[in-house]
Amino acid sequence: RATQYTCMLLSYLIEHKADKEKLVMKLKQLESSMSSGRKMFRLGNMVHALVAARRTTQLPDVVPRVCLTASNLTRALYFVCDAVLWLKSVGLQPDVDKPKWRNWATKCYYFSLLMNLARDWYEISWRLEQAVQEEKTKENSFWDKHNQELNCVKCDGLHVFFLLLFQILKRHPPLLLDLVKNLCDLSGPLDTLGIYKTNPGVIGFCGILSSLVGILTLASPHLKLKQ
């Protein structure tokens, strides 16, 4: 995935240079090969998404339960559409309507990301509420230590909100990484669905950043946001 988006970004950056046509062509071919390879590697992910959906239905908190279950179910549908597109790309199902299935896949992926972001916002919001209560009662040592800094900030509620948000994300790296990854992944479907048009350079950069976050959470599982 990181290789695919790196090729996308590099080809976008050098495509207008006169002496780089062959390199751009090779990068785009490599990007296409990586995309096809990823579709094949994802053939078993539908089962994984369904198992994850079954597991998240047992979460005690209703908001994460609904958001994560909906995310996993729509992600499973995305993998179904992705598998159909893979069958089309290898010639096993040549009659498949590629634009229609790609549109369905993008919509499923988009909705899955929105559910993940809703879960992230829920995690942030209750931590914000907790932090405000801790600041008022002065019972938490973290807020005692930063009390002088907060008192020195002569600003309106919005600035206080962003200050608290910064402190919360700083204290909870898994939540920060999950939020960054979901926001970066959102660039692709937003562009494909025409909701917010960007360019391959932006999508490539966001894809690389998202992939690096994914690699980091695999290498250090304690940085992955727990369900």
Side-chain angles (χ1 to χ4, degrees):
R1 188 173 189 268
T3 302
Q4 176 188 344
Y5 283 111
T6 300
C7 291
M8 180 185 293
L9 177 60
L10 290 177
S11 62
Y12 173 79
L13 293 175
I14 65 175
E15 65 179 348
H16 298 298
K17 296 185 178 180
D19 57 340
K20 301 294 183 181
E21 291 88 352
K22 291 184 178 180
L23 179 57
V24 170
M25 184 64 65
K26 289 181 179 179
L27 287 171
K28 289 185 176 181
Q29 289 175 348
L30 181 57
E31 177 195 336
S32 177
S33 297
M34 292 294 102
S35 178
S36 298
R38 289 181 60 218
K39 282 180 170 57
M40 183 184 69
F41 294 145
R42 287 198 298 251
L43 290 178
N45 285 5
M46 179 183 64
V47 176
H48 180 270
L50 291 175
V51 171
R54 182 180 178 182
R55 185 173 62 249
T56 53
T57 57
Q58 301 173 359
L59 292 174
D61 202 336
V62 62
V63 176
R65 181 168 71 241
V66 171
C67 290
L68 291 176
T69 301
S71 173
N72 286 318
L73 289 176
T74 51
R75 195 169 182 83
L77 292 175
Y78 160 70
F79 288 131
V80 171
C81 298
D82 200 55
V84 173
L85 290 171
W86 178 77
L87 293 174
K88 165 73 174 180
S89 66
V90 298
L92 295 178
Q93 289 292 337
D95 297 331
V96 168
D97 188 344
K98 187 174 180 179
K100 180 178 72 174
W101 281 92
R102 179 178 290 172
N103 185 58
W104 286 352
T106 304
K107 287 181 178 179
C108 290
Y109 185 48
Y110 176 60
F111 185 78
S112 177
L113 290 174
L114 290 182
M115 290 297 98
N116 287 337
L117 285 169
R119 186 270 181 110
D120 288 340
W121 175 246
Y122 173 77
E123 295 283 345
I124 291 172
S125 62
W126 77 259
R127 284 188 169 91
L128 278 171
E129 183 178 354
Q130 186 180 43
V132 170
Q133 293 300 321
E134 290 173 351
E135 182 190 359
K136 288 180 179 179
T137 58
K138 301 181 184 296
E139 291 177 353
N140 185 281
S141 60
F142 173 82
W143 293 111
D144 286 341
K145 184 170 63 176
H146 290 277
N147 189 51
Q148 183 178 0
E149 177 187 351
L150 291 174
N151 288 336
C152 290
V153 178
K154 303 299 183 180
C155 54
D156 56 22
L158 186 62
H159 289 140
V160 173
F161 167 78
F162 282 116
L163 178 60
L164 292 176
L165 179 62
F166 171 78
Q167 296 291 356
I168 286 170
L169 294 177
K170 182 180 178 181
R171 294 175 65 193
H172 300 89
L175 180 56
L176 173 61
L177 292 175
D178 194 69
L179 180 64
V180 170
K181 188 177 190 306
N182 288 324
L183 288 174
C184 287
D185 287 339
L186 205 59
S187 63
L190 285 177
D191 182 81
T192 303
L193 295 174
I195 299 172
Y196 184 79
K197 300 296 290 185
T198 55
N199 57 64
V202 173
I203 297 173
F205 175 78
C206 291
I208 294 171
L209 184 57
S210 171
S211 299
L212 292 177
V213 171
I215 292 171
L216 180 61
T217 56
L218 284 175
S220 302
H222 68 280
L223 294 176
K224 186 174 180 63
L225 186 63
K226 301 295 187 292
Q227 293 186 348

